[in-house]
Amino acid sequence: MRAAVVPGVDVAWELREVATPSPGPGEVLVRVRACGVCVNDVLATRGMLPFPAVDPAVTGHEPVGEVVEVGAGVTSRRPGDRVGVTWVRSGCGRCDYCLRDLPVTGQTALNCPAPTTTGFTAPGGHAEYLVAAAESTVLLPDGLAWELAAPVMCAGYTAWSALRAAEPRPHDRVAVIGIGGLGHLAVQYAKACGHETVAITGSADKHEAARRLGADLVVADGEQLRAAGGADVVILTAPSHRAAAACLAGLRVQGRMVLAGIDGVEPFTIPPAMSYPFFSQGQRITGATHGGPHLLREALELVAAGRVTPWVETFPATRVAEAVDRVAKGEVRFRAVVEY
């Protein structure tokens, strides 16, 4: 089969012929039709996140396709099923986190010392075929196009989980920091739920796009958010804890801030000037990643219903290196999807 192999750290991806996998007991073989390129794929191949621990190194954790073969004992999936494969497949089953018997979610990958994750510890989706446990797949809604389903497997899943973690109430105003792969979906999910929605971006060239996505208001930073009346919910989708901390100035009394963007450089700190207001106003800061299969199904259904539409640029497999390079440079609006 053809697969996009990462030859080494900070080396361009190459399309190569590699062995086609076979499903074992409890597993399915998926003919991958599309896989999104997440910025974390780029960071991993550049050595800023753990390099894929598989040989050959094939990353990609937004794969969607059809089941073509099932292994022994599989009853929940059958050939012809349209599925997506989740990023987190399982935990180690032995650590303190796993022994709490919590659902397998994004938190598993962050708290378990040895999780199985698509594209990092297990072969990823940038290939023509992929093997995964049947329980690590989710059925896709009928009629949902491959290129629209793929970004939901991580970006959409994260954005919807973050909004749900904020527990927005009717008439709450929701602000989204960063209009990129995650943020452009978070704006749409918030709007689809009927919330007045604010986009926060320092990129002037994204203001018009944010309005087209459904933002009622576009501001550049936390001070402008505060001047515009603030927000009850603020969701960080950009990789900047500094931007999130600056937006505390616009968080309303009893407001909730959700950190869904990964900042691998700076820890989150409350600015000294905000310490007293924060502790006196009943505000809450929480983190969010993939929150569970039920949330992934909800995120997919909203896209299938046409209430949310990922903005994608599609690339054939032969141009996968170009897709990765454009993601690394921030030139894609807003998700690159490679078709296999």
Side-chain angles (χ1 to χ4, degrees):
M1 69 173 183
R2 295 184 307 169
V5 175
V6 188
V9 175
D10 213 17
V11 179
W13 296 19
E14 297 177 1
L15 200 62
R16 295 182 182 176
E17 293 286 331
V18 303
T20 303
S22 298
E27 296 180 331
V28 296
L29 178 65
V30 177
R31 172 62 173 94
V32 177
R33 295 302 179 184
C35 188
V37 180
C38 178
V39 69
N40 288 337
D41 296 329
V42 177
L43 295 178
T45 57
R46 292 193 168 183
M48 300 173 70
L49 288 176
F51 192 77
V54 290
D55 186 18
V58 178
T59 188
H61 55 276
E62 291 185 336
V64 294
E66 59 221 359
V67 174
V68 294
E69 185 180 346
V70 300
V74 174
T75 59
S76 62
R77 299 290 181 266
R78 61 190 65 147
D81 282 347
R82 303 172 72 252
V83 300
V85 179
T86 59
W87 164 47
V88 184
R89 301 188 187 182
S90 66
C92 70
R94 303 178 64 87
C95 68
D96 290 342
Y97 179 84
C98 288
L99 290 176
R100 295 176 64 192
D101 290 325
L102 297 170
V104 175
T105 67
Q107 291 181 336
T108 305
L110 301 176
N111 292 291
C112 172
T116 299
T117 53
T118 303
F120 291 92
T121 67
H126 283 292
E128 289 183 310
Y129 291 91
L130 173 66
V131 161
E135 63 184 16
S136 297
T137 65
V138 59
L139 293 172
L140 301 179
D142 292 339
L144 179 56
W146 301 121
E147 70 273 14
L148 299 184
V152 184
M153 295 304 300
C154 180
Y157 190 4
T158 303
W160 180 245
S161 295
L163 182 63
R164 289 289 302 273
E167 300 177 346
R169 299 178 291 257
H171 310 299
D172 272 356
R173 189 190 226 190
V174 177
V176 177
I177 307 172
I179 307 302
L182 269 68
H184 92 283
L185 291 169
V187 167
Q188 293 186 73
Y189 280 123
K191 192 65 180 176
C193 291
H195 297 289
E196 182 185 7
T197 305
V198 182
I200 305 174
T201 175
S203 301
D205 63 329
K206 292 184 178 180
H207 283 211
E208 179 56 31
R211 294 186 183 93
R212 288 172 57 198
L213 289 164
D216 299 285
L217 177 67
V218 183
V219 299
D221 52 33
E223 283 303 316
Q224 288 190 12
L225 176 64
R226 181 187 60 78
D232 304 284
V233 170
V234 175
I235 299 174
L236 173 71
T237 66
S240 173
H241 284 161
R242 180 176 298 180
C247 285
L248 281 173
L251 189 63
R252 290 173 173 171
V253 173
Q254 297 187 344
R256 288 83 67 205
M257 175 175 282
V258 182
L259 307 180
I262 299 175
D263 186 337
V265 180
E266 294 188 19
F268 182 86
T269 56
I270 299 174
M274 290 299 304
S275 294
Y276 178 75
F278 176 79
F279 288 107
S280 67
Q281 293 181 359
Q283 296 164 330
R284 173 162 56 94
I285 300 173
T286 188
T289 178
H290 298 174
H294 64 295
L295 296 182
L296 176 54
R297 287 190 290 269
E298 291 172 357
L300 286 163
E301 289 290 350
L302 283 165
V303 175
R307 298 175 64 189
V308 173
T309 303
W311 287 17
V312 301
E313 292 186 33
T314 58
F315 298 80
T318 53
R319 293 172 55 200
V320 65
E322 177 189 345
V324 174
D325 183 61
R326 292 196 61 204
V327 171
K329 293 177 179 177
E331 295 177 351
V332 174
R333 293 286 174 88
F334 285 101
R335 203 63 163 182
V337 175
V338 182
E339 298 175 320
Y340 292 93

